[in-house]
């Protein structure tokens, strides 16, 4: 595979990003170093109420993602997340938790993202509050990240803001139309690999990466 760096652009509350996880696992298992950058799609101004209409739309999408990826969207997720009124679709806490997990070792961002995704889509747990995300991280063996999330330092907050800013800047530079997306960072300008390649065959994805 190419020696270029692969950067994965994502949001932890994006169902399609959850669907792309098996491909990320295969890339990582093949020795590919994946740099994860959040884009804050559903945080800040991008957060929105999780009302019945949006929940129905999300569940329809989730079924399509499940068919394409084999990823599981459980009844617990439907009952305890989508069908609970008065909650927000807000990835701020989850994104900060992933930043905390990768503060000293960027490679831990993928493990934290997977733990948070599994907690939401399979276990039906809360990942939109600081306490909820901290509990997930602690259960995944990332107690230091959980503590930092609940009591963030100014140094950490500055590094987190920089991480999200870098993700958004790259997202805009690539003119990406959504997440998930892969960027191949070589010696020239970064090249975008769109979401479709993450839901086909692994060999096809590798071919896209090699050609970028």
């Amino acid at each position: 595979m190419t020696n270029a760096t692969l950067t994965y652009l994502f949001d932890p509350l994006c169902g399609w990003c959850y669907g792309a996880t098996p491909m990320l696992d295969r890339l990582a298992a093949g020795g590919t170093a994946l740099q994860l950058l959040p884009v804050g799609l559903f945080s800040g101004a991008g957060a929105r109420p999780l009302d019945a209409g949006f929940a129905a739309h999300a569940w329809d999408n989730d079924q399509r993602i499940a068919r394409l990826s084999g990823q599981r969207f459980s009844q617990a997720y439907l009952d305890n997340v989508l069908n609970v009124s008065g909650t927000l679709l807000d990835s701020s806490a989850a994104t900060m938790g992933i930043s905390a997990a990768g503060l000293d070792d960027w490679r831990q961002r993928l493990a934290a993202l997977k733990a948070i995704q599994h907690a939401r889509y399979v276990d039906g747990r809360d990942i939109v509050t600081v306490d909820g995300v901290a509990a997930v991280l602690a259960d995944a063996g990332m107690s230091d990240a959980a503590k930092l999330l609940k009591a963030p330092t100014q140094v950490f907050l500055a590094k987190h803001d920089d991480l999200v800013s870098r993700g958004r800047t790259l997202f805009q530079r690539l003119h990406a139309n959504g997440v998930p997306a892969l960027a191949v960072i070589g010696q020239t300008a970064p090249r975008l690999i769109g979401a479709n390649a993450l839901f086909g065959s692994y060999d096809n994805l590798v071919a896209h990466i090699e050609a970028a």
Side-chain angles (χ1 to χ4, degrees):
M1 186 172 293
T2 178
N3 291 324
T5 301
L6 283 182
T7 298
Y8 179 64
L9 300 173
F10 73 97
D11 187 281
L13 263 65
C14 162
W16 288 101
C17 295
Y18 172 58
T21 301
M23 281 296 191
L24 299 186
D25 285 340
R26 290 198 64 177
L27 288 171
T32 299
L34 282 167
Q35 176 73 256
L36 270 65
L37 289 181
V39 300
L41 181 65
F42 295 117
S43 63
R48 65 192 67 183
L50 188 58
D51 56 26
F54 188 87
H57 171 73
W59 184 247
D60 285 344
N61 263 341
D62 294 340
Q63 302 317 294
R64 184 182 174 203
I65 296 165
R67 290 191 295 271
L68 289 171
S69 68
Q71 290 286 76
R72 181 184 172 201
F73 294 84
S74 73
Q75 188 68 37
Y77 159 65
L78 179 62
D79 292 342
N80 301 328
V81 176
L82 289 186
N83 288 343
V84 175
S85 61
T87 61
L88 282 177
L89 186 72
D90 186 349
S91 62
S92 300
T95 302
M96 192 173 290
I98 292 164
S99 294
L103 185 62
D104 296 323
D105 182 355
W106 58 267
R107 291 168 295 186
Q108 290 302 308
R109 290 180 202 144
L110 179 57
L113 172 62
K114 289 173 61 178
I116 287 169
Q117 288 172 331
H118 190 277
R120 178 178 178 84
Y121 295 112
V122 178
D123 297 335
R125 294 175 64 178
D126 160 37
I127 63 159
V128 298
T129 66
V130 166
D131 286 345
V133 175
V136 170
L137 293 174
D139 289 346
M142 303 178 189
S143 57
D144 288 345
K147 292 174 184 176
L148 184 58
L149 177 62
K150 296 185 76 170
T153 64
Q154 289 301 313
V155 171
F156 164 64
L157 289 174
K159 290 185 176 181
H160 168 69
D161 288 345
D162 178 68
L163 187 72
V164 176
S165 178
R166 287 193 285 125
R168 287 174 172 167
T169 298
L170 181 58
F171 183 85
Q172 292 166 0
R173 182 181 179 186
L174 293 168
H175 302 290
N177 60 8
V179 290
L182 278 176
V184 180
I185 313 295
Q187 295 181 350
T188 59
R191 307 285 185 87
L192 174 68
I193 296 176
N196 287 345
L198 290 162
F199 292 91
S201 72
Y202 179 70
D203 289 342
N204 181 64
L205 175 59
V206 170
H208 275 77
I209 294 170
E210 294 282 7

